[in-house]
Amino acid sequence: MKYILYSTLLSVLFIACTHEQKPASLDDLAENYVKLVLEIGQYNSDFVDAYYGPEEWKPTAKKQDSIPVQDFIVRAEELIQSVSDINVNDSSVLIKNRKAMFTKQLTAIKTKLEMIAGKTYDFDKEAQLLYDAEPPQYTEEHFDQLLSKLDSLVPGEGTLTERFNLFADKFIIPKAKLDTVFRVAIAEARKRTLANVSLPGNENFVLEYVTNKNWSGYNYYQGNYESLIQINTDHPIYIERAIDLACHEGYPGHHVFNALLEKNLVVDKGWKEFSVYPLFSPQSLIAEGSANYGIDVAFPGEERVDYEKEVLFPIAGLDSSKADLYYQILEIKGKLNYAGNEAARKYLNGEFTREEAAKWLEKYSLNTPERALQRTGFFDQYRSYVINYNLGKDIVATYVEANGGTADNPEKRWEVFKELLSNPNTASDLKVEE
């Protein structure tokens, strides 16, 4: 009898130990990950861009007087190790991508925490750790060549920046017409998107106008397929920005991206780590890059210009007689986008003062002095995040086109684009071998 009891006890202990040693799954780790991100977000208002997970996962403990950054770093490191320990060798490509993205998101979180604690990285290293990308570098000569092309096109007298802004002033949307223009632009972007992408029937958004921000537009995704889209009216808004922001913040940009992640990954697959979106992470490069590329997907080639001239110009009460020249100028000016990255790199690396960075932006981004200073404020707040807009767009565009989504095959372009938005991806996942 004693032998039987002893054997039974050993069996129970063996089962208990075996159970304790069972490695965690990605699903098991998701809750700890989400709670860590939300707790950090209590101390940094920019850290969490969106959350639509279980209400009971939100922090309940009283916020401390100062951020317990070292404790957070240790927890991030433990999660990184736990994710690393999970064997997915025999799993699908999708599961492998899930694990890879989980690790990269955690690496970014740890990096941001180290920065909060005082650790410094140069611009390029920071971008690589936070966004899984390597920013390209361009010389002044590269930008000077573009300025030379613009110089011969922009009419008027004075410096190129002065002439450009005087000419562009003819295309400012009057404040009284702003809401109408934006709502028409968003409705058209939504119609084009829904013709190619299936979204939950209750998807919706609220549009607001705000001031005193370092950005021009923002999507605060609310969960349950709803967004709050805010447009900053601190500075004049030009006619082309209506389609830009309608697509970028709405359709097929941030609103659609977040809705697809929520539906396909959180609701359908139960991957709860995607219920929280830490802003300073690889997810942002895909979010911003796809939002900018989505403009071209929804309004390809001349379709956009034609729509703006035929629909938005009359609503805004603008003269379209000079529109063709304006768009020709904007096309070349768009190639100056990377000048903003160079300004951020030099400023954040201590090579430029704020004033020098602003002067660079006035010259190479053709910003007004006021707008240039506002952008340095963006550098202060978001740092190397600037790469996500232009480099992110280029990475997404190259990937979509390499997979058959070329301009002459719009159906395939939408198909590849939608697939990209619906699955875990980071910049290195989308890298196309040359």
Side-chain angles (χ1 to χ4, degrees):
M1 183 69 175
K2 288 181 180 179
Y3 174 77
I4 295 173
L5 290 172
Y6 181 69
S7 299
T8 304
L9 180 60
L10 284 177
S11 298
V12 170
L13 288 172
F14 176 78
I15 293 170
C17 290
T18 303
H19 178 72
E20 287 177 5
Q21 292 171 1
K22 180 183 177 183
S25 68
L26 293 175
D27 288 339
D28 295 330
L29 299 176
E31 180 175 349
N32 289 338
Y33 166 80
V34 170
K35 288 181 175 179
L36 172 62
V37 174
L38 293 179
E39 285 181 51
I40 300 168
Q42 289 184 294
Y43 300 90
N44 186 314
S45 59
D46 292 325
F47 200 87
V48 179
D49 192 74
Y51 177 62
Y52 38 90
E55 187 69 23
E56 60 270 21
W57 285 6
K58 290 183 178 180
T60 55
K62 185 179 179 182
K63 178 180 170 183
Q64 299 180 29
D65 293 335
S66 60
I67 178 171
V69 65
Q70 294 303 326
D71 174 59
F72 287 151
I73 290 173
V74 169
R75 288 167 62 185
E77 290 173 337
E78 289 173 348
L79 277 169
I80 290 171
Q81 185 59 54
S82 296
V83 173
S84 176
D85 289 342
I86 295 175
N87 186 344
V88 295
N89 292 339
D90 298 326
S91 302
S92 66
V93 172
L94 186 61
I95 297 299
K96 291 176 182 177
N97 287 348
R98 179 192 181 189
K99 176 184 173 179
M101 185 165 183
F102 209 151
T103 300
K104 291 170 186 174
Q105 292 286 101
L106 280 164
T107 298
I109 289 166
K110 178 190 170 188
T111 300
K112 189 62 179 178
L113 286 167
E114 290 172 338
M115 292 168 63
I116 291 171
K119 189 169 184 177
T120 58
Y121 295 96
D122 65 33
F123 180 88
D124 294 274
K125 185 63 176 177
E126 177 187 316
Q128 189 272 320
L129 288 169
L130 292 181
Y131 307 114
D132 189 40
E134 299 176 6
Q137 295 191 35
Y138 293 93
T139 63
E140 283 191 58
E141 288 73 23
H142 169 77
F143 300 121
D144 284 333
Q145 290 174 6
L146 293 170
L147 291 184
S148 180
K149 292 180 181 179
L150 283 172
D151 193 53
S152 62
L153 285 176
V154 180
E157 298 180 356
T159 68
L160 177 57
T161 299
E162 290 169 344
R163 283 183 285 136
F164 170 76
N165 283 288
L166 281 172
F167 184 59
D169 283 350
K170 303 178 187 297
F171 303 94
I172 293 174
I173 305 172
K175 282 201 171 184
K177 305 289 183 66
L178 205 56
D179 186 60
T180 303
V181 170
F182 265 106
R183 290 189 183 279
V184 169
I186 293 174
E188 180 65 20
R190 182 175 185 271
K191 182 180 79 172
R192 292 174 179 234
T193 299
L194 292 182
N196 295 278
V197 179
S198 295
L199 293 176
N202 63 320
E203 64 85 16
N204 204 354
F205 68 91
V206 172
L207 181 63
E208 292 181 351
Y209 300 92
V210 297
T211 57
N212 197 30
K213 303 293 182 182
N214 285 324
W215 38 257
S216 55
Y218 211 107
N219 179 306
Y220 292 96
Y221 189 68
Q222 308 294 296
N224 196 31
Y225 319 119
E226 297 182 354
S227 289
L228 168 62
I229 297 175
Q230 292 188 337
I231 306 298
N232 183 16
T233 59
D234 281 343
H235 299 281
I237 299 178
Y238 301 90
I239 189 66
E240 74 277 6
R241 294 295 286 157
I243 291 296
D244 283 350
L245 292 170
C247 291
H248 185 100
E249 308 299 345
Y251 306 84
H254 293 325
H255 174 67
V256 172
F257 179 52
N258 283 304
L260 288 176
L261 289 183
E262 181 178 10
K263 175 66 171 64
N264 296 327
L265 300 187
V266 179
V267 175
D268 291 352
K269 290 185 170 62
W271 294 0
K272 296 297 186 184
E273 72 268 24
F274 286 95
S275 66
V276 69
Y277 172 11
L279 185 66
F280 304 103
S281 70
Q283 185 172 336
S284 281
L285 183 134
I286 305 302
E288 302 295 0
S290 62
N292 271 352
Y293 181 65
I295 301 167
D296 298 332
V297 176
F299 291 86
E302 291 301 312
E303 282 189 32
R304 172 180 175 167
V305 176
D306 291 342
Y307 177 79
E308 289 177 344
K309 286 165 60 177
E310 294 170 10
V311 179
L312 299 187
F313 270 75
I315 294 174
L318 298 178
D319 179 7
S320 64
S321 62
K322 302 286 186 182
D324 289 338
L325 175 59
Y326 183 54
Y327 286 115
Q328 185 182 357
I329 291 169
L330 288 180
E331 183 177 0
I332 299 173
K333 182 178 179 290
K335 297 175 182 178
L336 289 167
N337 279 342
Y338 278 95
N341 291 22
E342 296 303 325
R345 175 186 280 113
K346 292 178 183 294
Y347 174 61
L348 295 173
N349 286 350
E351 299 171 44
F352 272 175
T353 64
R354 182 183 305 279
E355 292 71 24
E356 288 169 334
K359 286 297 182 184
W360 173 280
L361 291 168
E362 288 178 43
K363 179 178 180 180
Y364 289 114
S365 295
L366 305 184
N367 291 152
T368 63
E370 296 77 17
R371 175 67 176 135
L373 275 177
Q374 183 198 42
R375 290 193 67 190
T376 64
F378 186 95
F379 300 161
D380 288 328
Q381 186 171 357
Y382 298 104
R383 299 183 57 83
S384 60
Y385 193 94
V386 294
I387 72 162
N388 295 328
Y389 300 99
N390 40 41
L391 179 58
K393 178 182 177 180
D394 289 347
I395 289 172
V396 169
T398 300
Y399 174 82
V400 172
E401 290 162 14
N403 284 275
T406 53
D408 59 353
N409 193 348
E411 288 186 9
K412 184 65 174 179
R413 177 187 267 188
W414 273 108
E415 178 188 328
V416 177
F417 184 68
K418 179 176 66 175
E419 188 71 14
L420 185 153
L421 296 183
S422 303
N423 291 288
N425 290 293
T426 70
S428 59
D429 298 326
L430 304 184
K431 190 172 182 180
V432 175
E433 297 297 331
E434 297 181 0

